[in-house]
Amino acid sequence: MSRKIWVFDTTLRDGEQVPGAKLNLYEKVEIAQQLKKLGVDIIEAGFPASSQGDFDAVQAVAQKVGNTSDIMITALARAVQADIDSVYNAVKYAENPMIHMVLGTSDIHVEKKFNKSRDQILQIGVNAVKYAKSLLPEVQYSTEDASRSEFEYLWKTIEAVMKAGATMINVPDTVGFAEPEEFGAMIYKLNDRMKNLNPNVLLSVHCHNDLGMATANTLAAVKNGADKVECTINGIGERAGNAALEEVVMALKTRNAVYNVNTRINTKEIINTSRLVSSFMGLDVQVNKAITGDNAFAHSSGIHQDGLLKSRDAYEIVHPEDVGLDDMELILTARSGRHAVKNALENLGFAQLAPKDFEGIFEGFLALADAKKEVYDHDLYVIVENYYEQHEKANVTNYSDHFFEFEDLQVVSNSSFPSASVKIRKGGKVFMSSAVGSGPIDALYSAIADITKINVKLVEYDISSVSRGKDALGKVKITIEHEGETYIAKAADTDILKASALAYMNAINSVIVTSLKEAPVQPAAVNS
Ligand code: KIV
Ligand code: ZN
């Protein structure tokens, strides 16, 4: 029978330890609400003894998110009374509060960090658990640096704190030192002894990613009896981060025949959660990151695109819809083959192209793709039009009349009057406009919007560097909303303001593509 795996999310505690990722109270509560929607079993909301701000935020999460019985709220304490009091006072408002405490078990921690004997540390842990139990029924004990601890001392500690009343035992691979087979074997032995002592106590793991094995170690632990996994969204966390929730959960689901376990996670909320965490914490998700990276469901090789169009399972083991994305993405680049380009043209309404015409259009596509990183749908319209013009077909439809083309810009950035002027071309005409804004990008986008007259809401603006040094390419990704639809567009340039304008232009042109698809301009009556 399929076993339940508890999912403990520590994005708001271990994840928040990432330098610069500090959240305010409002942001913490928003993310916690989303984690609840995602279906995690336990939220670790912070480390309340660290600051008054964190105490208040944990308390707000307990009150506003922990107000139902389907979720447990916890926070971290060292094994000292003041920390435990702090956690208790912050989480006690939740329907299901828990105290989580941590104390090292490796000799490095016992001797070098605490300068104490093993017996002294064990006793401190037992006393701390007894104290926490006097406050709340649910207490988790984390044996910090467990993977580098001497096994029999680790077990002696676990046995003692279980007898003192701990209800969950968390075995952390604090420095990401563990190796899956070895870690799995350790968990197997611990699980065997723990279940003999008290089968109601949950065995948990918390793996760090210093050697890139956090997910593998977590999965090895599940295979060997762990009841609970500690993870973060997008794998953020101390140093190289923690096991990524989305990777662990999707591996358990996709390879269910191997693991035979289930979680309560609503996987369709994964992308929403990932994007919320990334934007609030200001931490970009690596583009090729499993499950939540921009390219995780984007296919660009011609061979793969051809295979996918024949049968999706050729190159797709997780359906993008299962994690909350609309569809797979076939990115048109110089590597795309005929099949993908034909498919894109058909989606735009060019379904009846004669083979000779398609070959001519494909040539135009390759020429543009060589010059440009990515070919958008609006580029395809222009390629078709150019092809018909060059081949002197009658009644050519002027698709390019519909699209905006960036020409030039000037932006003034200062604290009093950030302003921008832009020059944009559409259908052979040049338009110019100027605007002021709350900042240079706001001014730039207001000037462009004044010309395009397409009412869009800017949902997200993201800027990052593609390379290093003073000639670095800046990459801008924007998300806009138009009539309930979301459009994402990108552009790169050494001039970041130009990249911002180009990204906006690409997004606006995508809106126009949608309206053209809805009310197609009939392709020209071609006299071949
Ligand atoms: O990595 C670690 O050991 C921790 C503990 C607090 C669980 O984060
Ligand atoms: Zn950790």
Side-chain angles (χ1 to χ4, degrees), residues 55-104:
F55 177 91
D56 294 342
V58 174
Q59 194 174 64
V61 170
Q63 285 164 336
K64 296 184 166 88
V65 184
N67 57 351
T68 52
S69 60
D70 56 349
I71 193 139
M72 190 177 266
I73 308 293
T74 191
L76 185 66
R78 290 162 294 187
V80 295
Q81 196 170 327
D83 277 23
I84 294 170
D85 284 339
S86 189
V87 170
Y88 169 69
N89 286 315
V91 301
K92 66 182 178 191
Y93 301 96
E95 271 206 30
N96 284 314
M98 177 169 82
I99 294 168
H100 174 199
M101 74 182 69
V102 61
L103 187 59

Side-chain angles (χ1 to χ4, degrees), residues 199-275:
N200 297 323
V201 174
L202 295 186
L203 171 56
S204 165
V205 291
H206 172 111
C207 298
H208 277 272
N209 205 29
D210 299 67
L211 295 175
M213 295 196 283
T215 298
N217 283 325
T218 304
L219 294 171
V222 168
K223 226 174 178 179
N224 283 282
D227 306 293
K228 170 171 155 288
V229 290
E230 295 202 355
C231 308
T232 57
I233 302 299
N234 299 330
I236 60 169
E238 190 75 19
R239 304 180 312 280
N242 290 68
L245 181 147
E246 63 278 6
E247 293 175 14
V248 172
V249 166
M250 291 315 290
L252 294 178
K253 184 173 167 160
T254 310
R255 304 305 311 275
N256 192 40
V258 174
Y259 297 104
N260 194 23
V261 296
N262 60 79
T263 69
R264 275 183 57 230
I265 297 294
N266 172 6
T267 61
K268 289 192 187 314
E269 287 297 331
I270 284 179
I271 293 295
N272 283 342
T273 317
S274 161
R275 290 186 178 158

Side-chain angles (χ1 to χ4, degrees), residues 80-206:
V80 295
Q81 196 170 327
D83 277 23
I84 294 170
D85 284 339
S86 189
V87 170
Y88 169 69
N89 286 315
V91 301
K92 66 182 178 191
Y93 301 96
E95 271 206 30
N96 284 314
M98 177 169 82
I99 294 168
H100 174 199
M101 74 182 69
V102 61
L103 187 59
T105 44
S106 69
D107 285 344
I108 301 168
H109 281 238
V110 171
E111 289 163 12
K112 297 195 179 140
K113 191 169 137 185
F114 296 113
N115 195 22
K116 293 214 180 316
S117 70
R118 285 182 177 182
D119 283 348
Q120 282 173 317
I121 288 290
L122 194 150
Q123 202 49 52
I124 292 172
V126 167
N127 292 344
V129 170
K130 284 186 180 156
Y131 179 65
K133 278 296 273 194
S134 72
L135 302 172
L136 287 179
E138 293 290 343
V139 173
Q140 166 162 296
Y141 192 88
S142 279
T143 53
E144 192 178 16
D145 207 14
S147 53
R148 292 194 298 167
S149 303
E150 193 265 313
F151 184 81
E152 288 306 330
Y153 175 65
L154 174 66
W155 168 246
K156 200 171 156 194
T157 304
I158 292 173
E159 186 180 33
V161 297
M162 278 174 73
K163 285 180 178 162
T167 47
M168 297 191 196
I169 299 296
N170 184 39
V171 177
D173 178 26
T174 303
V175 288
F177 180 74
E179 182 281 326
E181 216 168 303
E182 200 178 79
F183 194 60
M186 179 175 90
I187 294 300
Y188 185 87
K189 255 161 79 179
L190 287 178
N191 185 47
D192 191 43
R193 293 188 190 184
M194 277 178 59
K195 294 296 178 292
N196 273 325
L197 184 62
N198 183 348
N200 297 323
V201 174
L202 295 186
L203 171 56
S204 165
V205 291
H206 172 111

Side-chain angles (χ1 to χ4, degrees), residues 315-329:
Y315 291 102
E316 188 176 277
I317 58 157
V318 173
H319 302 303
E321 302 81 3
D322 289 352
V323 296
L325 282 167
D326 285 346
D327 204 351
M328 65 175 175
E329 219 188 323

Side-chain angles (χ1 to χ4, degrees), residues 14-35:
D14 213 318
E16 210 203 16
Q17 286 169 212
V18 175
K22 188 95 188 89
L23 300 168
N24 63 32
L25 183 146
Y26 158 79
E27 291 165 332
K28 266 205 173 181
V29 172
E30 278 288 296
I31 292 179
Q33 295 285 18
Q34 179 59 34
L35 290 170

